[in-house]
Amino acid sequence: MRPVGYLLVTAAVLWRRTGAIALDVNSKASIRNASATLAYGLMSWYQNNQSSTALTAIGTLPAPLYWWEAGAVWGGMVDYWAYTNDTSYVHTVQQALLAQVGPKDDYMMPAYYASLGNDDQAFWAVAVLSAAEYGFPAPDGNSSNVWLELAEAVFNTQQSRWDTTSCNGGLKWQIFTSNAGYDYKNSISNGGLFQIAARLARYTGNQTYVEWAEKTWNWMSAVGLIDVNYNVYDGTDDTLNCNRLDHTQWSYNPSILLYGTAMLYNFTNGSQVWEKRTTGLLETCANNFFSPFSNTTNVMYEPSCEPMGLCDNDQLSFKAYLSRWMAKASIVAPYLTGPVNTLLTRSAEAAAQACSGGAGGTMCGQKWYVGGYDGSYGVGQELSALETVQALLLLRRGGVNAARRYPLTSEDVHVSVAMPDPTSTFSIPPKTSATESAT
């Protein structure tokens, strides 16, 4: 990922429509309809599947968006299919996920080496992991295990790059020495490896993946990227032996870890170690990335850039992953459901109000706490709104087909929903009229 300037509409069109995406958070049908509108808006940005598209560009998004964000979009669209049973985009998503696997089927595309980071590769891996966990159909002519095999290939390349020449371990941000940022060891790259390992552990039952998840977590804690209060900082410099941190906090860093710890809580049938870490990370997400003002309680935002209008194209999409991984975590760690439901329900309501721009009155803005469309539009804004609204289906009884709500495992692995009484007492007072038992 690279920082780039984000797109702004001109002052002449910085206006607010009275309309917005219709969303009744107490109606599963309304949530599905709103999700369909948002999915359509998101997919309208995708043009790189035309007959004239170069083979290396199929499945990617238009410049200035980087390669990784396409993988993030396809992960969101796999979830959209699983949550809504809408098959409209299945072929497009299949084609995109397989177009970018690279010559060794490990999401190492030579065409994108100049900007290829471990975090970029990880976003494609977590997309195909979702495809495996939800039973997303494999295209004709491919192995039924193609999604799992791709994720395992990414893990294998990343664990082989674990660097002990400095800082006693860790993944570097960039893969190639020629890339700016090669000396940076950051949370999103190591968090990506952690989540991939945790999800592969649960899916396959292979203890090696558990060991790598523990190794990655322990390293991040040792160098201070995860502090004692579960704040997660951006990164550290390996030329300084990781003795100095960039303390910037981005929402996707604790949330990428959150889904991994929740998966391990589930896989270990309620381990108190993983419960404590899961609870701590959710508290960090709730305390640091919601409620920007007293009159916008439980509305999601990106505090390190959003209030100042300084988010770049990467950062404009970060709320999508916070929503995605909080919701998924609450399925495998059900004791999280109450606070996650409170946070995402109010944020979804605010996001729907923010999706009131453009000629059709459904283009999504960035700042959900202003009560309408703020004039900032693009892929990140659409994806963030989609992920937050469709996440409500996971949080509603009967909102998602039972066969897809709970992530699958291999046939010889049997994992139960962890149900022992958790030691956590974390809760958020409801600030919305929404009820958990939507009709």
Side-chain angles (χ1 to χ4, degrees):
M1 303 174 197
R2 295 291 186 284
V4 292
Y6 68 94
L7 298 173
L8 285 175
V9 295
T10 63
V13 291
L14 286 174
W15 49 272
R16 234 181 248 174
R17 294 181 62 94
T18 57
I21 288 182
L23 176 64
D24 177 356
V25 295
N26 294 313
S27 165
K28 294 186 285 289
S30 176
I31 297 168
R32 289 191 189 94
N33 289 338
S35 298
T37 299
L38 290 164
Y40 180 84
L42 175 64
M43 292 299 290
S44 70
W45 289 90
Y46 178 55
Q47 304 295 326
N48 283 356
N49 61 346
Q50 310 298 315
S51 58
S52 58
T53 303
L55 291 179
T56 56
I58 294 172
T60 67
L61 295 167
L65 297 172
Y66 283 102
W67 177 77
W68 77 272
E69 195 162 342
V73 165
W74 306 129
M77 292 303 296
V78 168
D79 292 348
Y80 172 77
W81 164 83
Y83 301 169
T84 67
N85 202 34
D86 182 352
T87 60
S88 303
Y89 307 106
V90 165
H91 175 72
T92 300
V93 176
Q94 289 172 331
Q95 180 194 45
L97 286 173
L98 292 178
Q100 293 298 315
V101 296
K104 296 183 179 180
D105 292 337
D106 56 5
Y107 289 108
M108 292 284 292
M109 278 291 284
Y112 302 99
Y113 278 1
S115 63
L116 188 58
N118 282 299
D119 54 343
D120 305 324
Q121 186 190 29
F123 267 88
W124 289 85
V126 298
V128 292
L129 268 172
S130 292
E133 291 163 348
Y134 292 141
F136 188 69
D140 292 342
N142 287 269
S143 164
S144 60
N145 291 322
V146 62
W147 309 127
L148 175 63
E149 291 165 356
L150 288 167
E152 289 178 323
V154 171
F155 171 83
N156 289 335
T157 64
Q158 294 207 344
Q159 63 89 18
S160 71
R161 290 195 288 263
W162 186 261
D163 174 46
T164 57
T165 64
S166 64
C167 312
N168 199 33
L171 270 188
K172 290 175 174 284
W173 173 28
Q174 292 298 300
I175 293 173
F176 300 106
T177 58
S178 58
N179 291 358
Y182 181 74
D183 295 321
Y184 199 53
K185 291 184 174 179
N186 60 354
S187 288
I188 194 60
S189 295
N190 287 280
L193 175 61
F194 171 78
Q195 188 186 113
I196 293 166
R199 292 169 71 175
L200 284 173
R202 183 185 177 278
Y203 193 96
T204 67
N206 187 330
Q207 188 64 27
T208 297
Y209 294 126
V210 178
E211 293 167 0
W212 268 97
E214 291 173 338
K215 180 177 183 176
T216 307
W217 177 276
N218 291 340
W219 179 82
M220 293 181 71
S221 297
V223 300
L225 290 175
I226 306 169
D227 75 9
V228 294
N229 296 314
Y230 299 97
N231 293 301
V232 184
Y233 303 116
D234 187 68
T236 185
D237 189 337
D238 69 2
T239 65
L240 302 175
N241 202 35
C242 298
N243 289 322
R244 186 179 302 168
L245 299 175
D246 178 344
H247 284 92
T248 307
Q249 296 189 62
W250 301 108
S251 63
Y252 73 163
N253 283 325
S255 58
I256 200 170
L257 293 169
L258 172 64
Y259 191 34
T261 60
M263 278 289 199
L264 290 169
Y265 166 83
N266 179 261
F267 182 60
T268 57
N269 196 33
S271 157
Q272 289 191 3
V273 170
W274 290 113
E275 181 204 317
K276 181 180 179 182
R277 292 168 177 175
T278 299
T279 302
L281 289 167
L282 181 61
E283 289 178 333
T284 288
C285 291
N287 293 333
N288 293 348
F289 304 105
F290 292 83
S291 307
F293 305 107
S294 60
N295 63 343
T296 54
T297 301
N298 297 335
V299 174
M300 188 183 299
Y301 79 120
E302 197 66 47
S304 293
C305 65
E306 188 175 308
M308 303 78 74
L310 297 177
C311 296
D312 64 29
N313 276 325
D314 286 356
Q315 296 151 10
L316 286 166
S317 71
F318 286 179
K319 293 198 292 284
Y321 321 124
L322 179 59
S323 295
R324 179 194 296 184
W325 290 321
M326 283 176 60
K328 287 173 179 280
S330 73
I331 300 305
V332 291
Y335 76 92
L336 303 180
T337 302
V340 169
N341 182 55
T342 297
L343 292 166
L344 294 190
T345 295
R346 181 66 194 101
S347 291
E349 291 174 324
Q353 282 296 116
C355 294
S356 54
T362 59
M363 182 177 286
C364 296
Q366 175 195 6
K367 296 178 180 179
W368 298 349
Y369 47 83
V370 301
Y373 179 61
D374 67 351
S376 173
Y377 66 96
V379 170
Q381 295 89 323
E382 293 287 334
L383 179 61
S384 294
L386 171 63
E387 295 269 21
T388 306
V389 170
Q390 71 182 14
L392 298 187
L393 292 170
L394 273 183
L395 301 170
R396 301 295 186 264
R397 296 189 186 97
V400 174
N401 184 296
R404 293 178 186 159
R405 185 172 188 266
Y406 197 64
L408 301 172
T409 64
S410 296
E411 291 182 0
D412 57 347
V413 176
H414 303 283
V415 181
S416 300
V417 179
M419 294 305 292
D421 293 334
T423 59
S424 168
T425 57
F426 179 60
S427 63
I428 300 172
K431 296 292 184 180
T432 173
S433 60
T435 60
E436 186 176 344
S437 55
T439 56

